[in-house]
Amino acid sequence: MADLPDARTLPLDEASRAALAERGLEYRLLRSHDGDAIDAHSSAWMRGFAAPEAEEEHLRDVRETMAGRRLIGVYDARGAQAHWPVATVSSWITPVTIPGGELPMWAISTVTVAATHRRRGIARALLEAELRDAHAAGVPIAGLTASEATIYGRYGFAPATQAATWKVDTRRVRWAGPEAPGRIEYIDREAAAALMGELHERTRLQRLGEVPGWPRRWLGHLGLVEKKDRAVRAVRYLDAAGEPRGVLAYKIDEDHEEADADLTIRFLVADGDEAVAALWRFAIEHDLVGTVTAPDRPVDEPLPWLVSDPRVPTSSLTDHGWLRIVDVPAVLEARAYAGPVDLVLRVADPLGYADGAWRVEIADGRATVTEAAGAGADVELTVQELSAAYLGGVSLAVLRAAGRVRGSDAAIAALDLALRVPRAPFLSIVY
Ligand SMILES: CC(C)(COP(=O)(O)OP(=O)(O)OC[C@H]1O[C@@H](n2cnc3c(N)ncnc32)[C@H](O)[C@@H]1OP(=O)(O)O)[C@@H](O)C(=O)NCCC(=O)NCCS
Protein backbone atom coordinates (compact mmCIF):
# COMPACT_ATOMS: atom_id res chain seq x y z
CA MET A 1 0.00 0.00 0.00
CA ALA A 2 1.22 3.52 -0.72
CA ASP A 3 3.14 5.31 2.04
CA LEU A 4 0.90 5.86 5.02
CA PRO A 5 1.14 9.02 7.16
CA ASP A 6 3.21 8.78 10.34
CA ALA A 7 0.73 9.17 13.21
CA ARG A 8 3.54 10.45 15.48
CA THR A 9 3.74 13.69 13.53
CA LEU A 10 0.09 14.65 14.02
CA PRO A 11 -0.81 17.41 16.49
CA LEU A 12 -2.42 16.77 19.86
CA ASP A 13 -6.21 16.98 19.94
CA GLU A 14 -7.13 20.38 21.38
CA ALA A 15 -10.62 19.49 22.65
CA SER A 16 -9.39 16.63 24.86
CA ARG A 17 -6.34 18.64 25.96
CA ALA A 18 -8.62 21.44 27.18
CA ALA A 19 -11.17 19.07 28.77
CA LEU A 20 -8.47 17.24 30.74
CA ALA A 21 -6.68 20.48 31.68
CA GLU A 22 -9.92 21.67 33.30
CA ARG A 23 -9.64 18.63 35.61
CA GLY A 24 -6.03 19.46 36.45
CA LEU A 25 -4.62 16.78 34.14
CA GLU A 26 -2.02 17.20 31.41
CA TYR A 27 -2.70 15.47 28.08
CA ARG A 28 0.71 15.00 26.50
CA LEU A 29 2.17 13.60 23.27
CA LEU A 30 5.41 11.74 23.98
CA ARG A 31 8.50 12.30 21.85
CA SER A 32 9.78 9.13 20.22
CA HIS A 33 13.36 9.73 21.42
CA ASP A 34 12.36 10.28 25.06
CA GLY A 35 13.22 6.81 26.32
CA ASP A 36 12.48 7.51 30.00
CA ALA A 37 9.02 8.85 29.23
CA ILE A 38 8.30 5.86 26.97
CA ASP A 39 9.42 3.47 29.73
CA ALA A 40 7.15 5.21 32.26
CA HIS A 41 4.30 5.03 29.72
CA SER A 42 4.91 1.30 29.21
CA SER A 43 5.14 0.71 32.96
CA ALA A 44 1.81 2.49 33.38
CA TRP A 45 -0.06 0.49 30.73
CA MET A 46 1.42 -2.77 32.00
CA ARG A 47 0.10 -1.90 35.47
CA GLY A 48 -3.21 -0.97 33.83
CA PHE A 49 -3.39 -4.48 32.36
CA ALA A 50 -2.61 -5.96 35.79
CA ALA A 51 0.82 -7.23 34.67
CA PRO A 52 3.80 -7.41 37.06
CA GLU A 53 6.30 -4.54 37.13
CA ALA A 54 8.60 -4.97 34.12
CA GLU A 55 12.35 -5.66 34.30
CA GLU A 56 14.64 -3.01 32.77
CA GLU A 57 15.51 -5.35 29.90
CA HIS A 58 11.86 -5.93 29.08
CA LEU A 59 11.16 -2.19 29.08
CA ARG A 60 14.07 -1.61 26.70
CA ASP A 61 12.69 -4.26 24.31
CA VAL A 62 9.23 -2.76 24.44
CA ARG A 63 10.67 0.72 23.86
CA GLU A 64 11.70 -0.27 20.35
CA THR A 65 8.12 -1.13 19.37
CA MET A 66 6.53 1.76 21.24
CA ALA A 67 8.88 4.39 19.78
CA GLY A 68 7.31 3.72 16.37
CA ARG A 69 3.84 4.60 17.66
CA ARG A 70 2.03 7.76 18.59
CA LEU A 71 2.11 7.69 22.38
CA ILE A 72 -0.15 9.80 24.53
CA GLY A 73 -0.14 9.99 28.31
CA VAL A 74 -2.33 11.83 30.79
CA TYR A 75 -0.34 13.14 33.75
CA ASP A 76 -1.44 14.17 37.22
CA ALA A 77 1.22 16.44 38.74
CA ARG A 78 -0.17 15.82 42.25
CA GLY A 79 0.82 12.14 42.31
CA ALA A 80 3.80 10.56 44.12
CA GLN A 81 4.77 9.02 40.77
CA ALA A 82 4.00 12.10 38.69
CA HIS A 83 6.28 10.97 35.84
CA TRP A 84 4.04 7.91 35.31
CA PRO A 85 0.96 8.75 33.24
CA VAL A 86 -2.38 8.05 34.90
CA ALA A 87 -3.78 7.14 31.49
CA THR A 88 -2.20 5.82 28.30
CA VAL A 89 -3.03 5.24 24.66
CA SER A 90 -0.96 4.43 21.58
CA SER A 91 -1.86 4.46 17.92
CA TRP A 92 -0.39 3.99 14.47
CA ILE A 93 -1.65 3.91 10.91
CA THR A 94 -1.51 0.46 9.37
CA PRO A 95 -3.04 -1.38 6.43
CA VAL A 96 -5.97 -3.71 7.13
CA THR A 97 -6.98 -6.36 4.61
CA ILE A 98 -10.42 -5.84 3.05
CA PRO A 99 -12.15 -7.63 0.16
CA GLY A 100 -10.13 -6.78 -2.93
CA GLY A 101 -7.19 -5.07 -1.21
CA GLU A 102 -6.21 -2.98 1.79
CA LEU A 103 -7.34 0.14 3.59
CA PRO A 104 -5.41 2.46 5.93
CA MET A 105 -6.58 1.87 9.48
CA TRP A 106 -6.01 3.89 12.65
CA ALA A 107 -4.91 1.16 15.10
CA ILE A 108 -5.47 1.92 18.79
CA SER A 109 -3.74 0.06 21.60
CA THR A 110 -2.67 0.18 25.28
CA VAL A 111 -5.77 2.08 26.40
CA THR A 112 -5.51 2.20 30.18
CA VAL A 113 -6.60 4.47 32.99
CA ALA A 114 -5.03 4.05 36.43
CA ALA A 115 -7.22 2.40 39.05
CA THR A 116 -6.94 5.65 41.03
CA HIS A 117 -8.43 7.71 38.18
CA ARG A 118 -11.06 5.40 36.68
CA ARG A 119 -14.65 6.30 35.75
CA ARG A 120 -14.11 10.03 35.46
CA GLY A 121 -14.32 10.19 31.68
CA ILE A 122 -10.58 9.96 30.96
CA ALA A 123 -10.89 6.99 28.59
CA ARG A 124 -13.70 8.76 26.80
CA ALA A 125 -11.51 11.84 26.32
CA LEU A 126 -8.73 9.62 24.90
CA LEU A 127 -10.94 7.57 22.58
CA GLU A 128 -12.90 10.50 21.20
CA ALA A 129 -9.60 12.27 20.49
CA GLU A 130 -8.25 9.21 18.67
CA LEU A 131 -11.28 9.23 16.38
CA ARG A 132 -10.98 12.98 15.76
CA ASP A 133 -7.28 12.43 14.96
CA ALA A 134 -8.06 9.58 12.54
CA HIS A 135 -10.69 11.72 10.83
CA ALA A 136 -8.37 14.74 10.60
CA ALA A 137 -5.62 12.55 9.12
CA GLY A 138 -8.01 11.20 6.48
CA VAL A 139 -7.81 7.63 7.83
CA PRO A 140 -11.24 6.13 7.04
CA ILE A 141 -11.47 3.37 9.64
CA ALA A 142 -10.20 2.68 13.15
CA GLY A 143 -9.46 -0.69 14.72
CA LEU A 144 -8.53 -2.32 18.01
CA THR A 145 -8.63 -5.56 19.96
CA ALA A 146 -10.47 -5.31 23.25
CA SER A 147 -9.82 -6.61 26.76
CA GLU A 148 -13.55 -6.44 27.45
CA ALA A 149 -16.36 -6.42 24.90
CA THR A 150 -18.35 -3.84 26.88
CA ILE A 151 -16.00 -0.87 26.50
CA TYR A 152 -15.88 0.25 22.87
CA GLY A 153 -19.41 -0.03 21.43
CA ARG A 154 -20.23 3.40 22.84
CA TYR A 155 -17.63 4.94 20.51
CA GLY A 156 -19.03 3.16 17.43
CA PHE A 157 -16.67 0.16 17.38
CA ALA A 158 -18.03 -3.32 16.72
CA PRO A 159 -16.56 -6.81 16.40
CA ALA A 160 -15.82 -7.41 12.71
CA THR A 161 -13.74 -10.58 13.04
CA GLN A 162 -14.16 -13.45 15.45
CA ALA A 163 -11.56 -15.83 16.79
CA ALA A 164 -12.07 -19.46 17.70
CA THR A 165 -10.45 -21.60 20.36
CA TRP A 166 -10.30 -25.11 18.92
CA LYS A 167 -9.97 -28.21 21.08
CA VAL A 168 -9.33 -31.75 19.89
CA ASP A 169 -9.37 -34.91 22.00
CA THR A 170 -6.65 -36.56 19.96
CA ARG A 171 -7.35 -40.09 21.26
CA ARG A 172 -10.73 -40.04 19.55
CA VAL A 173 -9.59 -39.14 16.04
CA ARG A 174 -7.45 -40.44 13.23
CA TRP A 175 -6.00 -38.21 10.55
CA ALA A 176 -8.37 -38.18 7.56
CA GLY A 177 -6.92 -35.24 5.66
CA PRO A 178 -4.55 -35.18 2.72
CA GLU A 179 -1.08 -36.68 2.82
CA ALA A 180 1.34 -33.77 2.76
CA PRO A 181 3.99 -34.12 0.07
CA GLY A 182 6.54 -32.09 2.09
CA ARG A 183 8.14 -32.59 5.49
CA ILE A 184 8.25 -31.13 8.98
CA GLU A 185 11.40 -30.25 10.89
CA TYR A 186 12.27 -28.61 14.20
CA ILE A 187 13.83 -25.16 14.04
CA ASP A 188 15.41 -22.76 16.50
CA ARG A 189 12.96 -20.43 18.12
CA GLU A 190 14.70 -17.30 16.80
CA ALA A 191 14.52 -18.71 13.27
CA ALA A 192 10.87 -19.59 13.84
CA ALA A 193 10.11 -16.00 14.89
CA ALA A 194 11.74 -14.68 11.72
CA LEU A 195 9.84 -17.17 9.54
CA MET A 196 6.58 -16.26 11.29
CA GLY A 197 7.11 -12.62 10.40
CA GLU A 198 7.90 -13.49 6.78
CA LEU A 199 4.95 -15.84 6.33
CA HIS A 200 2.55 -13.47 8.07
CA GLU A 201 3.59 -10.63 5.79
CA ARG A 202 3.34 -12.88 2.72
CA THR A 203 -0.14 -14.16 3.60
CA ARG A 204 -1.90 -11.33 5.39
CA LEU A 205 -3.64 -10.17 2.20
CA GLN A 206 -5.36 -13.56 2.03
CA ARG A 207 -7.31 -12.92 5.25
CA LEU A 208 -9.85 -10.14 5.67
CA GLY A 209 -9.24 -8.10 8.79
CA GLU A 210 -5.55 -9.01 9.09
CA VAL A 211 -2.91 -6.35 9.89
CA PRO A 212 0.91 -6.44 9.72
CA GLY A 213 2.74 -7.71 12.78
CA TRP A 214 6.04 -6.59 14.31
CA PRO A 215 9.12 -8.48 15.57
CA ARG A 216 8.21 -8.58 19.28
CA ARG A 217 4.85 -10.07 18.43
CA TRP A 218 6.56 -13.14 16.92
CA LEU A 219 9.24 -13.38 19.61
CA GLY A 220 6.45 -13.40 22.19
CA HIS A 221 4.75 -16.38 20.54
CA LEU A 222 8.05 -18.24 20.76
CA GLY A 223 8.45 -17.48 24.48
CA LEU A 224 11.58 -15.42 23.83
CA VAL A 225 10.51 -12.13 25.44
CA GLU A 226 8.47 -10.94 28.40
CA LYS A 227 7.12 -14.19 29.87
CA LYS A 228 10.12 -16.21 28.71
CA ASP A 229 9.21 -19.83 28.28
CA ARG A 230 11.66 -22.57 27.36
CA ALA A 231 8.84 -25.08 27.01
CA VAL A 232 7.88 -23.51 23.67
CA ARG A 233 9.01 -25.51 20.62
CA ALA A 234 8.83 -24.72 16.93
CA VAL A 235 8.57 -26.69 13.71
CA ARG A 236 8.29 -25.62 10.12
CA TYR A 237 6.72 -27.26 7.10
CA LEU A 238 8.70 -27.47 3.87
CA ASP A 239 6.81 -28.24 0.66
CA ALA A 240 7.92 -30.87 -1.85
CA ALA A 241 10.29 -28.34 -3.41
CA GLY A 242 11.89 -27.62 -0.02
CA GLU A 243 10.29 -24.17 0.40
CA PRO A 244 9.26 -23.22 3.98
CA ARG A 245 5.48 -22.84 3.84
CA GLY A 246 4.41 -22.88 7.45
CA VAL A 247 5.56 -22.56 11.03
CA LEU A 248 4.04 -23.76 14.27
CA ALA A 249 4.95 -22.66 17.80
CA TYR A 250 3.53 -24.92 20.48
CA LYS A 251 3.93 -25.92 24.08
CA ILE A 252 3.30 -29.21 25.82
CA ASP A 253 2.11 -29.01 29.37
CA GLU A 254 4.56 -30.97 31.53
CA ASP A 255 2.15 -31.52 34.35
CA HIS A 256 0.16 -34.46 33.01
CA GLU A 257 -0.88 -38.06 33.47
CA GLU A 258 1.00 -40.48 31.32
CA ALA A 259 0.38 -39.99 27.60
CA ASP A 260 -2.31 -37.41 28.28
CA ALA A 261 -0.58 -34.06 27.97
CA ASP A 262 -2.13 -30.85 26.66
CA LEU A 263 -0.50 -29.39 23.58
CA THR A 264 -1.27 -25.71 23.04
CA ILE A 265 -0.76 -24.13 19.67
CA ARG A 266 0.69 -20.70 20.40
CA PHE A 267 0.80 -19.60 16.79
CA LEU A 268 0.43 -21.24 13.43
CA VAL A 269 0.94 -19.36 10.19
CA ALA A 270 1.11 -20.94 6.80
CA ASP A 271 1.16 -20.07 3.15
CA GLY A 272 -1.44 -22.43 1.68
CA ASP A 273 -3.82 -25.16 2.79
CA GLU A 274 -1.23 -27.92 2.45
CA ALA A 275 0.98 -26.44 5.16
CA VAL A 276 -1.95 -25.66 7.50
CA ALA A 277 -3.12 -29.28 7.31
CA ALA A 278 0.40 -30.69 7.74
CA LEU A 279 1.02 -28.63 10.87
CA TRP A 280 -2.34 -29.56 12.37
CA ARG A 281 -1.50 -33.22 11.71
CA PHE A 282 1.82 -32.81 13.51
CA ALA A 283 -0.02 -31.47 16.57
CA ILE A 284 -2.84 -34.00 16.55
CA GLU A 285 -0.57 -37.04 16.11
CA HIS A 286 2.00 -35.92 18.68
CA ASP A 287 2.97 -38.69 21.09
CA LEU A 288 2.09 -38.36 24.79
CA VAL A 289 -0.61 -35.78 23.95
CA GLY A 290 -4.31 -36.19 24.77
CA THR A 291 -5.68 -32.74 23.93
CA VAL A 292 -4.69 -30.09 21.43
CA THR A 293 -5.91 -26.57 22.16
CA ALA A 294 -5.55 -23.77 19.65
CA PRO A 295 -6.72 -20.29 20.70
CA ASP A 296 -7.02 -17.33 18.32
CA ARG A 297 -7.64 -19.42 15.23
CA PRO A 298 -10.07 -18.84 12.34
CA VAL A 299 -13.69 -19.79 12.97
CA ASP A 300 -13.67 -21.63 9.63
CA GLU A 301 -10.59 -23.73 10.35
CA PRO A 302 -10.95 -26.87 8.16
CA LEU A 303 -10.21 -29.08 11.19
CA PRO A 304 -13.49 -31.07 11.35
CA TRP A 305 -12.89 -32.06 7.71
CA LEU A 306 -9.36 -33.23 8.41
CA VAL A 307 -10.09 -35.87 11.05
CA SER A 308 -12.01 -39.17 11.16
CA ASP A 309 -14.73 -37.88 13.52
CA PRO A 310 -15.91 -34.34 12.75
CA ARG A 311 -17.69 -34.13 16.10
CA VAL A 312 -14.46 -34.29 18.07
CA PRO A 313 -12.91 -30.90 17.24
CA THR A 314 -14.95 -28.28 19.05
CA SER A 315 -14.63 -24.52 18.93
CA SER A 316 -15.73 -21.66 21.11
CA LEU A 317 -15.95 -18.22 19.56
CA THR A 318 -15.18 -14.77 20.76
CA ASP A 319 -15.09 -11.25 19.30
CA HIS A 320 -11.59 -10.31 18.21
CA GLY A 321 -10.92 -7.56 15.65
CA TRP A 322 -13.05 -4.46 16.31
CA LEU A 323 -13.58 -1.86 13.58
CA ARG A 324 -15.08 1.62 13.54
CA ILE A 325 -15.94 3.25 10.23
CA VAL A 326 -14.97 6.93 10.19
CA ASP A 327 -15.58 7.77 6.52
CA VAL A 328 -18.51 5.91 4.94
CA PRO A 329 -17.90 6.71 1.23
CA ALA A 330 -14.15 6.00 1.47
CA VAL A 331 -14.65 2.70 3.25
CA LEU A 332 -17.53 1.41 1.12
CA GLU A 333 -15.90 2.47 -2.15
CA ALA A 334 -12.63 0.75 -1.22
CA ARG A 335 -13.87 -2.83 -1.01
CA ALA A 336 -14.97 -5.29 -3.68
CA TYR A 337 -18.50 -6.73 -3.66
CA ALA A 338 -20.15 -9.99 -4.66
CA GLY A 339 -23.39 -8.58 -6.12
CA PRO A 340 -25.18 -5.46 -7.37
CA VAL A 341 -26.99 -2.96 -5.12
CA ASP A 342 -28.81 0.32 -5.54
CA LEU A 343 -30.23 1.61 -2.28
CA VAL A 344 -30.19 4.31 0.37
CA LEU A 345 -28.47 3.45 3.62
CA ARG A 346 -29.33 5.47 6.73
CA VAL A 347 -26.45 5.35 9.18
CA ALA A 348 -26.75 6.74 12.70
CA ASP A 349 -23.53 7.81 14.38
CA PRO A 350 -23.69 9.72 17.68
CA LEU A 351 -20.17 11.04 17.05
CA GLY A 352 -21.15 12.28 13.60
CA TYR A 353 -18.47 10.82 11.29
CA ALA A 354 -20.58 8.18 9.56
CA ASP A 355 -23.94 9.82 10.19
CA GLY A 356 -26.25 10.45 7.26
CA ALA A 357 -28.21 9.00 4.38
CA TRP A 358 -25.95 7.42 1.75
CA ARG A 359 -26.90 6.31 -1.73
CA VAL A 360 -24.95 3.12 -2.41
CA GLU A 361 -24.76 1.90 -5.99
CA ILE A 362 -22.75 -1.24 -6.59
CA ALA A 363 -22.08 -2.44 -10.11
CA ASP A 364 -19.34 -4.75 -11.41
CA GLY A 365 -18.19 -5.35 -7.86
CA ARG A 366 -17.41 -1.70 -7.02
CA ALA A 367 -19.48 0.86 -5.08
CA THR A 368 -20.24 4.51 -5.66
CA VAL A 369 -21.43 6.27 -2.53
CA THR A 370 -22.99 9.72 -2.45
CA GLU A 371 -24.86 11.73 0.16
CA ALA A 372 -28.61 11.32 -0.16
CA ALA A 373 -29.95 13.75 2.40
CA GLY A 374 -33.74 13.73 2.50
CA ALA A 375 -34.12 10.43 0.63
CA GLY A 376 -36.18 7.61 2.19
CA ALA A 377 -33.97 4.88 3.60
CA ASP A 378 -34.04 1.27 2.34
CA VAL A 379 -31.77 0.01 5.14
CA GLU A 380 -31.25 1.63 8.56
CA LEU A 381 -28.49 0.81 10.99
CA THR A 382 -25.89 2.46 13.20
CA VAL A 383 -22.20 2.80 12.52
CA GLN A 384 -21.65 -0.22 14.78
CA GLU A 385 -23.64 -2.63 12.58
CA LEU A 386 -22.09 -1.24 9.42
CA SER A 387 -18.61 -1.70 10.91
CA ALA A 388 -19.43 -5.24 12.08
CA ALA A 389 -20.77 -6.28 8.66
CA TYR A 390 -18.13 -4.47 6.56
CA LEU A 391 -15.79 -7.47 6.15
CA GLY A 392 -18.66 -9.95 5.80
CA GLY A 393 -18.06 -11.42 9.26
CA VAL A 394 -21.72 -11.15 10.22
CA SER A 395 -24.71 -10.94 7.88
CA LEU A 396 -27.26 -8.15 7.98
CA ALA A 397 -29.94 -10.84 8.23
CA VAL A 398 -28.48 -11.89 11.58
CA LEU A 399 -28.24 -8.28 12.73
CA ARG A 400 -31.83 -7.73 11.68
CA ALA A 401 -32.86 -10.81 13.67
CA ALA A 402 -31.26 -9.08 16.66
CA GLY A 403 -33.28 -5.93 15.96
CA ARG A 404 -30.16 -3.99 15.01
CA VAL A 405 -30.87 -3.45 11.30
CA ARG A 406 -34.16 -2.30 9.82
CA GLY A 407 -35.35 -2.05 6.23
CA SER A 408 -37.01 -3.79 3.32
CA ASP A 409 -36.41 -7.53 2.87
CA ALA A 410 -35.24 -7.01 -0.70
CA ALA A 411 -32.74 -4.27 0.14
CA ILE A 412 -31.28 -6.15 3.11
CA ALA A 413 -30.99 -9.35 1.06
CA ALA A 414 -29.29 -7.52 -1.83
CA LEU A 415 -26.80 -5.78 0.45
CA ASP A 416 -26.11 -9.05 2.30
CA LEU A 417 -25.35 -10.78 -0.98
CA ALA A 418 -23.05 -7.96 -2.04
CA LEU A 419 -21.12 -8.10 1.26
CA ARG A 420 -20.68 -11.89 1.16
CA VAL A 421 -17.10 -13.19 1.32
CA PRO A 422 -15.70 -16.68 0.65
CA ARG A 423 -13.84 -17.18 3.96
CA ALA A 424 -14.56 -15.77 7.41
CA PRO A 425 -12.54 -12.64 8.23
CA PHE A 426 -9.75 -13.35 10.66
CA LEU A 427 -7.22 -11.32 12.59
CA SER A 428 -4.47 -13.59 13.89
CA ILE A 429 -2.82 -11.20 16.34
CA VAL A 430 -3.76 -9.18 19.39
CA TYR A 431 -2.66 -5.56 19.36
C1 LIG B 1 -11.34 0.41 30.41
C2 LIG B 1 -10.73 1.67 31.00
C3 LIG B 1 -9.69 2.21 30.04
C4 LIG B 1 -11.87 2.69 31.17
O1 LIG B 1 -11.32 3.92 31.61
P1 LIG B 1 -12.20 5.04 32.39
O2 LIG B 1 -11.45 6.31 32.36
O3 LIG B 1 -12.59 4.48 33.70
O4 LIG B 1 -13.47 5.14 31.45
P2 LIG B 1 -14.44 6.42 31.38
O5 LIG B 1 -14.62 6.98 32.77
O6 LIG B 1 -13.97 7.36 30.34
O7 LIG B 1 -15.75 5.73 30.93
C5 LIG B 1 -16.36 5.94 29.67
C6 LIG B 1 -17.53 5.02 29.55
O8 LIG B 1 -17.08 3.68 29.52
C7 LIG B 1 -17.71 2.93 30.54
N1 LIG B 1 -16.72 1.94 30.97
C8 LIG B 1 -15.47 2.20 31.36
N2 LIG B 1 -14.84 1.04 31.62
C9 LIG B 1 -15.70 0.05 31.37
C10 LIG B 1 -15.62 -1.34 31.46
N3 LIG B 1 -14.51 -1.97 31.86
N4 LIG B 1 -16.71 -2.06 31.11
C11 LIG B 1 -17.84 -1.44 30.71
N5 LIG B 1 -17.96 -0.11 30.59
C12 LIG B 1 -16.91 0.62 30.95
C13 LIG B 1 -18.10 3.93 31.59
O9 LIG B 1 -19.13 3.45 32.39
C14 LIG B 1 -18.48 5.11 30.75
O10 LIG B 1 -19.77 4.87 30.20
P3 LIG B 1 -20.70 6.09 29.70
O11 LIG B 1 -19.85 7.04 28.94
O12 LIG B 1 -21.70 5.39 28.84
O13 LIG B 1 -21.24 6.69 30.94
C15 LIG B 1 -10.11 1.40 32.38
O14 LIG B 1 -11.06 0.84 33.22
C16 LIG B 1 -8.92 0.47 32.34
O15 LIG B 1 -7.78 0.90 32.23
N6 LIG B 1 -9.14 -0.86 32.45
C17 LIG B 1 -8.05 -1.83 32.50
C18 LIG B 1 -7.30 -1.92 31.17
C19 LIG B 1 -8.21 -2.21 30.01
O16 LIG B 1 -8.97 -3.17 30.04
N7 LIG B 1 -8.14 -1.38 28.96
C20 LIG B 1 -8.85 -1.59 27.73
C21 LIG B 1 -7.84 -2.11 26.77
S1 LIG B 1 -8.50 -2.82 25.35
Side-chain angles (χ1 to χ4, degrees):
M1 133 156 286
D3 280 350
L4 296 173
D6 183 346
R8 293 173 302 178
T9 61
L10 303 169
L12 202 58
D13 178 71
E14 181 48 32
S16 285
R17 193 204 59 74
L20 290 164
E22 254 178 45
R23 293 175 233 171
L25 300 170
E26 185 196 354
Y27 177 67
R28 188 194 305 163
L29 186 61
L30 275 62
R31 285 188 293 268
S32 49
H33 58 263
D34 189 346
D36 290 345
I38 294 175
D39 291 353
H41 188 269
S42 299
S43 300
W45 61 253
M46 287 174 195
R47 185 181 59 191
F49 286 119
E53 192 166 320
E55 305 278 351
E56 288 273 318
E57 181 200 350
H58 179 200
L59 283 177
R60 258 199 317 278
D61 282 353
V62 173
R63 197 193 285 180
E64 221 170 280
T65 307
M66 298 313 283
R69 297 181 180 176
R70 181 172 200 262
L71 305 180
I72 288 177
V74 177
Y75 296 83
D76 186 341
R78 294 161 297 190
Q81 283 183 324
H83 62 295
W84 279 40
V86 296
T88 59
V89 62
S90 60
S91 47
W92 64 105
I93 302 170
T94 183
V96 58
T97 307
I98 60 168
E102 294 176 283
L103 195 63
M105 184 184 85
W106 187 274
I108 300 172
S109 186
T110 61
V111 177
T112 69
V113 174
T116 47
H117 287 68
R118 64 197 283 274
R119 308 301 181 270
R120 300 181 200 170
I122 297 178
R124 177 173 285 280
L126 296 181
L127 266 302
E128 290 188 358
E130 292 295 316
L131 292 174
R132 277 193 292 272
D133 292 337
H135 182 251
V139 178
I141 198 161
L144 50 81
T145 57
S147 61
E148 293 184 88
T150 45
I151 300 172
Y152 295 104
R154 58 177 51 75
Y155 309 110
F157 288 87
T161 76
Q162 288 189 303
T165 296
W166 288 90
K167 254 189 197 318
V168 191
D169 178 345
T170 59
R171 290 151 306 189
R172 290 175 53 207
V173 288
R174 275 177 297 100
W175 184 252
E179 285 296 322
R183 67 195 164 85
I184 287 188
E185 61 188 23
Y186 285 102
I187 51 172
D188 294 344
R189 289 186 289 157
E190 285 79 7
L195 180 57
M196 242 172 221
E198 260 172 65
L199 287 169
H200 179 80
E201 192 51 31
R202 202 192 304 164
T203 57
R204 68 180 171 79
L205 286 178
Q206 297 166 15
R207 275 291 187 181
L208 308 174
E210 194 69 275
V211 301
W214 54 94
R216 272 187 60 83
R217 193 32 79 231
W218 317 126
L219 292 167
H221 291 315
L222 272 309
L224 289 166
V225 290
E226 206 178 335
K227 293 175 199 146
K228 291 195 179 160
D229 191 345
R230 296 176 71 83
V232 179
R233 309 271 179 190
V235 290
R236 65 177 178 177
Y237 175 74
L238 304 163
D239 67 14
E243 271 298 302
R245 293 285 177 193
V247 58
L248 164 70
Y250 68 96
K251 177 177 169 170
I252 297 180
D253 170 21
E254 285 174 272
D255 182 21
H256 59 85
E257 299 292 313
E258 207 174 316
D260 191 25
D262 290 336
L263 184 154
T264 302
I265 292 184
R266 288 171 66 99
F267 202 73
L268 187 169
V269 59
D271 184 5
D273 300 333
E274 176 186 306
V276 174
L279 291 166
W280 264 111
R281 182 176 190 170
F282 173 84
I284 287 172
E285 292 187 339
H286 202 292
D287 285 334
L288 306 182
V289 166
T291 308
V292 171
T293 306
D296 296 331
R297 293 294 304 161
V299 300
D300 59 357
E301 190 84 86
L303 198 53
W305 303 93
L306 292 171
V307 293
S308 53
D309 184 344
R311 196 178 287 176
V312 173
T314 55
S315 63
S316 55
L317 309 188
T318 184
D319 59 281
H320 188 47
W322 289 60
L323 293 179
R324 201 282 184 210
I325 292 173
V326 175
D327 181 334
V328 172
V331 162
L332 294 186
E333 288 182 357
R335 68 156 279 185
Y337 294 89
V341 152
D342 185 355
L343 51 76
V344 173
L345 200 58
R346 174 82 185 92
V347 184
D349 179 356
L351 297 182
Y353 306 109
D355 203 68
W358 306 96
R359 174 90 186 259
V360 182
E361 294 169 272
I362 300 176
D364 301 324
R366 306 307 306 196
T368 308
V369 180
T370 45
E371 279 197 64
D378 300 299
V379 178
E380 287 182 66
L381 35 58
T382 79
V383 64
Q384 273 191 275
E385 289 79 43
L386 191 59
S387 301
Y390 177 61
L391 297 178
V394 59
S395 79
L396 296 178
V398 168
L399 294 172
R400 178 172 57 181
R404 296 188 55 153
V405 169
R406 288 181 305 283
S408 80
D409 290 351
I412 290 175
L415 191 53
D416 247 347
L417 197 67
L419 291 165
R420 187 177 294 177
V421 294
R423 293 290 300 266
F426 174 59
L427 168 67
S428 64
I429 59 180
V430 176
Y431 62 86

